[in-house]
Amino acid sequence: GAAPAPSPAAAPRLAPADRWRLLLGRENDKLPTGARRYAHALDELYGAGQGEGADGIGGPGGGAGQEGSFPSAREWSDELEALFGAEVREEVLGRAADSGRADVLAQLDPASVRPSVELLSSVLSLAGGMPEQQLARLRPLVRRLVDELSRELATRLRPALTGIASPRPTRRPGGRLDLPRTLRANLAHTRRLDDGRTVVVPEQPVFSTLSRRESDWRLVLVVDVSGSMEASVIWSALTAAVLGGVPTLSTHFLTFSTQVIDLTDRVADPLSLLLEVRVGGGTHIAAGLAHARSLVTVPSRTLVVVVSDFEEGYPLGGLLGEVRSLAASGVHLMGCAALDDSGAPRYSVPVAQQLVAAGMPVAALSPLALARWVGDRLRGEPR
């Protein structure tokens, strides 16, 4: 096998001129043979053929067909670790994957790569066309990214979702003691102590328990998976997993392009959900809403959230008819023009205006803003 890459301490001493060549990415053909491997690693760190830091391949003075073959992803990842350490190596590998280089995926260390939605989006996009044998090697990486991002999102959303478990008073022990109700129920049972203090004797304690299942709420996420919606699909899946853990809230997940697919059974496992989703195709929002309408049993306790850019690819009358029907039944509607951390609006304004007139508010929401909206509805706060 090949000899292990030298540590930075074992690197040969370089003349000042060679150090400048490495720094500027110029005249690599004049570098000592042992130093050219460092030039390749620096190209991966700072960019190749794109100005400062480039090696000039194909550019002025770079020549044609005279450079050594560019190292494999495994080789230059080893060089990066030897020269800059494991942390920088993982950052560069992640950035390369983010830019669409499938050859680096096998080199990413699931335990140390920095999780981001951008990296997860790139990995899922690259994994889409892979055979199962290669995909199996990627699953630990995707699992780590999904788990870390879900945990971070849950931490941020939890405050917006507190207090919506719908407790109700009961005399039957088993839940948490409801102290305010217990005091009110036992004001007649007071006793004065020898030291002058008055205490309430809780002869009839009141406990809290969850509401019956018939009072539960249903959330139906209707998610556009046409080609322009990659980041929002990931945020939608992660958000659905968090909301799926809310007591008294049943979360459904529908995806649509020109067809509607119900992935509700995958909500608890966002990794499985994301590996199942195929982004691409046209946009038929009306079909997604029609499927959502078929899931409604108690309209006043149903939330339907559409995540889309609202570029409907079918006659608009069908979409507006579905919105009017849902709104008239009493369903709580919300259109999300974006579902990501930036919340930057990217949607068809003319269509959105007609949807608002038909009864569905449209806003650019982050996952936190959506969680607040859901929490407000479940607490019974005004629309």
Side-chain angles (χ1 to χ4, degrees), residues 256-278:
F256 70 89
S257 52
T258 52
Q259 293 182 324
V260 182
I261 300 177
D262 191 332
L263 295 173
T264 299
D265 61 335
R266 310 292 177 92
V267 165
D269 182 7
L271 169 63
S272 175
L273 193 159
L274 286 169
L275 289 175
E276 188 72 21
V277 169
R278 292 292 176 264

Side-chain angles (χ1 to χ4, degrees), residues 98 116-126 230-231 234:
D98 194 25
S116 72
V117 169
E118 292 74 24
L119 176 58
L120 178 57
S121 177
S122 297
V123 173
L124 289 170
S125 177
L126 294 169
E230 287 183 2
I234 291 175

Side-chain angles (χ1 to χ4, degrees), residues 290-381:
H291 193 121
R293 186 160 51 85
S294 72
L295 299 174
V296 176
T297 55
V298 184
S300 63
R301 288 186 171 272
T302 302
L303 312 170
V304 173
V305 177
V306 183
V307 182
S308 178
D309 57 9
F310 302 108
E311 296 283 356
E312 176 68 299
Y314 289 75
L316 202 55
L319 170 58
L320 296 176
E322 288 293 340
V323 170
R324 292 190 186 101
S325 177
L326 285 164
S329 72
V331 167
H332 303 261
L333 289 168
M334 175 58 71
C336 290
L339 194 61
D340 55 37
D341 258 357
S342 65
R346 188 186 66 255
Y347 61 101
S348 170
V349 175
V351 173
Q353 290 173 337
Q354 295 185 65
L355 292 174
V356 172
M360 182 169 75
V362 176
L365 299 181
S366 67
L368 178 57
L370 176 60
R372 286 173 177 156
W373 181 81
V374 170
D376 289 346
R377 301 290 83 72
L378 268 63
R379 294 186 194 96
E381 297 181 18

